[in-house]
């Protein structure tokens, strides 16, 4: 039985902004107290598009991880590591490449999109085409069950699942598997065993997805069989095969409501963000300069919060009460825009103050971030190696 494991990664982009915090980090931090979590810096992924300026990758890595820790990722609860220090990711990526049809990679929507977006770069490389394959390896090498990501990563999770399915189909054959499954069904007991068989047929003959879910639940709840037998019965539901690489689920993080200061998506490359390290004076200045509903050209013109980027910040940072005050004041021209922005400025600064205090603490301990990553990498390599032992043997690679 595979563990309930969460895994996610970010390309090293340096200092984190409040969009990263509300769109991903806050969720990672919440998950670490509920699950076994692995979070990593995807520095190889950064190289797929930034192969020509490698120097920024290293500094960005340390800046980013410092911000992760300051925001509340806890190395005692989560395994925090660097992709390029865990060679098992590369090995699995190579091996999965043997069974991944080129067409699958060419059809991932981000492939063409990113080539369009980054026209000035030559992205007709082998590495860039392999981006989603490498991501699949990142996930499958930990046999992660849940992957918190944003909407934009859904197609990468989909291809990860397809690659896992294909891998299990090709390499999960095991002699005597069906006999083992039959024996486990007997141990389920007459009534439950019959239910299992009926649900298996309903799924395989009629494609009834609900039957599959019911059968899985039935197996998981069975008290009379071991974990190994449960695994056999789960694999047997979809074929006479063993699951070597389980299919992960995306844990969709709602697209961050925090949008950029200019109303576009908050992004480092647009220069429209508020960093976690932003000083209170700079937060104040940036928010005060933010555009508002263009209909409110003068103080006496009423406005509509739904047409104002500042409102998106109120949705993240303000209480119901403050939001009601904004709506009322804006639509009746009862408040001015600067007045409206003040509670947002105060809330952002209150949120950032403790993080900034931790950044100072962390940076006062030279080598600390390196140490965290060093320990995280060691743990990650141990877990990844367990998977690779199974993968190598399933693929017929001899051990000498
Ligand atoms: N592609 C992801 C992004 O751009 C980063 C990433 C790389 C990732 N490997 C991953 C995310 C594995 C989740 C799991 O955000
Ligand atoms: Fe935007 Fe607030 Fe001004 Fe209305 S009052 S336009 S919500 S800043």
């Amino acid at each position: 039985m595979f563990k309930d494991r969460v895994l996610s990664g970010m390309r090293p982009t340096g200092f984190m902004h409040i969009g990263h915090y509300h769109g991903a980090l806050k969720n990672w931090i919440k998950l670490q107290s509920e699950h076994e979590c692995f979070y990593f810096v995807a520095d190889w992924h950064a190289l797929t598009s930034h192969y020509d300026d490698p120097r920024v990758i290293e500094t960005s890595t340390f800046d980013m991880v410092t911000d992760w820790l300051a925001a509340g990722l806890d190395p005692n609860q989560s395994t925090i590591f660097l992709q390029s220090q865990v060679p098992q990711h590369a090995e699995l990526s190579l091996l999965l490449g043997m069974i991944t049809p080129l067409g699958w990679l060419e059809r991932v929507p981000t492939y063409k999109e990113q080539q369009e977006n980054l026209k000035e770069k030559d992205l007709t490389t082998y590495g860039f085409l392999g981006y989603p394959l490498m991501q699949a390896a990142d996930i499958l090498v930990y046999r992660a069950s849940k992957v918190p990501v944003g909407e934009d990563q859904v197609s990468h999770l989909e291809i990860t699942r397809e690659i896992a399915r294909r891998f299990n189909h090709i390499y999960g054959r095991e002699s005597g598997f069906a006999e083992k499954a039959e024996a486990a069904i007997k141990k389920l007991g007459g009534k439950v065993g019959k239910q299992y068989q009926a649900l298996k047929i309903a799924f395989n003959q009629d494609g009834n997805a609900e039957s599959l879910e019911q059968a899985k639940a039935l197996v998981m709840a069975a008290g009379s069989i071991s974990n190994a037998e449960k695994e056999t019965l789960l694999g047997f539901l979809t074929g006479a095969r063993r699951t070597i690489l389980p299919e992960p689920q995306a844990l969709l993080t709602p697209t961050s409501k925090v949008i950029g200061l200019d109303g576009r998506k908050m992004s480092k490359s647009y220069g429209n963000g508020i960093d976690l390290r932003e000083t209170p004076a700079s937060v104040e200045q940036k928010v005060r300069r933010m555009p508002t509903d263009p209909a409110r050209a003068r103080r006496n013109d009423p406005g509509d919060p739904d047409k104002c980027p500042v409102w998106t910040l109120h949705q993240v940072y303000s209480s119901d009460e403050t939001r009601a005050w904004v709506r009322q004041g804006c639509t009746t021209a009862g408040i001015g825009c600067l007045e409206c922005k003040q509670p947002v400025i105060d809330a952002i600064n209150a949120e950032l103050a403790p993080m900034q205090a931790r950044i100072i603490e962390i940076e006062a301990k030279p080598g600390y971030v390196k140490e965290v990553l060093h320990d995280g990498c060691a743990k990650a390599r141990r877990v990844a190696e367990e998977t690779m032992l199974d993968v190598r043997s399933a693929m017929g690679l001899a051990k000498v």
Side-chain angles (χ1 to χ4, degrees):
M1 201 70 346
F2 300 118
K3 281 187 154 178
D4 171 41
R5 202 172 264 157
V6 168
L7 171 122
S8 197
M10 262 189 230
R11 280 168 294 167
T13 49
F15 298 146
M16 297 278 95
H17 54 56
I18 60 176
H20 293 122
Y21 180 68
H22 288 280
L25 273 178
K26 206 166 72 171
N27 190 233
W28 287 14
I29 292 159
K30 177 171 88 71
L31 289 167
Q32 70 183 351
S33 54
E34 303 162 357
H35 306 270
E36 187 188 9
C37 290
F38 287 75
Y39 298 121
F40 71 98
V41 181
D43 53 350
W44 278 335
H45 277 103
L47 275 178
T48 63
S49 50
H50 290 72
Y51 51 83
D52 54 359
D53 63 39
R55 288 274 71 82
V56 303
I57 296 180
E58 185 173 3
T59 26
S60 295
T61 293
F62 290 106
D63 291 343
M64 180 166 87
V65 176
T66 302
D67 285 3
W68 286 3
L69 299 173
L73 267 200
D74 175 1
N76 293 315
Q77 295 187 71
S78 299
T79 304
I80 302 167
F81 67 97
L82 189 55
Q83 182 187 38
S84 63
Q85 296 284 302
V86 185
Q88 286 84 352
H89 289 233
E91 184 184 359
L92 185 58
S93 188
L94 173 105
L95 294 176
L96 295 177
M98 307 302 171
I99 61 159
T100 303
L102 275 180
W104 288 13
L105 294 170
E106 286 159 353
R107 275 193 295 273
V108 174
T110 49
Y111 178 58
K112 288 245 156 54
E113 271 163 35
Q114 291 284 70
Q115 284 187 335
E116 295 285 312
N117 291 347
L118 297 167
K119 274 232 164 64
E120 67 285 0
K121 280 231 168 84
D122 179 7
L123 292 180
T124 59
T125 56
Y126 178 60
F128 189 70
L129 178 67
Y131 186 112
L133 170 62
M134 188 154 73
Q135 184 162 348
D138 295 337
I139 298 167
L140 298 175
V141 84
Y142 300 99
R143 293 171 158 150
S145 49
K146 297 191 177 74
V147 184
V149 283
E151 208 70 61
D152 61 322
Q153 297 294 313
V154 168
S155 61
H156 294 170
L157 261 288
E158 199 41 56
I159 190 174
T160 301
R161 296 165 56 84
E162 282 165 0
I163 292 172
R165 216 173 296 148
R166 186 169 165 94
F167 186 94
N168 294 327
H169 184 79
I170 300 175
Y171 302 108
R173 285 193 203 107
E174 203 180 15
S175 61
F177 184 82
E179 290 73 18
K180 238 166 70 182
E182 295 300 342
I185 294 172
K186 276 220 182 77
K187 280 178 75 179
L188 278 178
K191 188 154 157 264
V192 184
K194 282 215 180 69
Q195 275 176 316
Y196 174 90
Q197 303 268 33
L199 290 166
K200 180 172 188 294
I201 290 169
F203 171 67
N204 284 292
Q205 284 180 2
D206 317 328
N208 185 339
E210 202 169 301
S211 303
L212 177 63
E213 290 314 309
Q214 283 173 4
K216 282 186 183 167
L218 185 127
V219 171
M220 296 305 289
S224 59
I225 57 174
S226 69
N227 278 344
E229 286 164 329
K230 286 185 182 179
E231 207 179 299
T232 303
L233 288 184
L234 291 179
F236 194 53
L237 282 170
T238 48
R241 291 189 163 68
R242 184 163 74 95
T243 303
I244 301 168
L245 299 174
E247 289 179 41
Q249 299 289 339
L251 263 190
L252 267 199
T253 323
T255 316
S256 169
K257 288 202 200 79
V258 177
I259 62 167
L261 297 170
D262 55 0
R264 294 189 291 171
K265 177 180 163 42
M266 188 174 284
S267 156
K268 195 170 197 88
S269 49
Y270 296 156
N272 62 355
I274 294 178
D275 284 347
L276 301 185
R277 301 175 185 234
E278 208 81 47
T279 62
S282 172
V283 170
E284 172 153 19
Q285 192 188 52
K286 284 187 167 178
V287 176
R288 286 172 78 98
R289 285 189 187 153
M290 247 176 113
T292 59
D293 175 2
R296 286 207 80 180
R298 282 175 301 264
R299 168 69 176 79
N300 292 333
D301 299 329
D304 177 358
D306 295 320
K307 298 192 175 117
C308 175
V310 179
W311 177 243
T312 64
L313 292 176
H314 276 295
Q315 285 176 300
V316 175
Y317 284 99
S318 299
S319 62
D320 289 349
E321 206 182 328
T322 305
R323 287 205 290 257
W325 169 79
V326 171
R327 214 162 245 298
Q328 160 76 18
C330 179
T331 52
T332 60
I335 57 171
C337 287
L338 286 179
E339 215 176 320
C340 174
K341 288 170 171 179
Q342 196 56 46
V344 168
I345 295 169
D346 295 339
I348 295 176
N349 282 330
E351 180 177 77
L352 298 186
M355 297 188 204
Q356 296 179 354
R358 280 197 294 270
I359 289 174
I360 293 172
E361 278 171 31
I362 293 168
E363 295 195 330
K365 291 184 278 189
Y368 174 69
V369 175
K370 221 173 205 170
E371 207 178 295
V372 166
L373 288 172
H374 184 269
D375 294 351
C377 289
K379 164 98 189 282
R381 282 191 294 265
R382 266 200 314 279
V383 174
E385 181 59 15
E386 280 176 30
T387 307
M388 290 315 296
L389 288 171
D390 270 1
V391 166
R392 289 184 208 115
S393 113
M395 292 182 84
L397 302 170
K399 206 172 146 198
V400 289

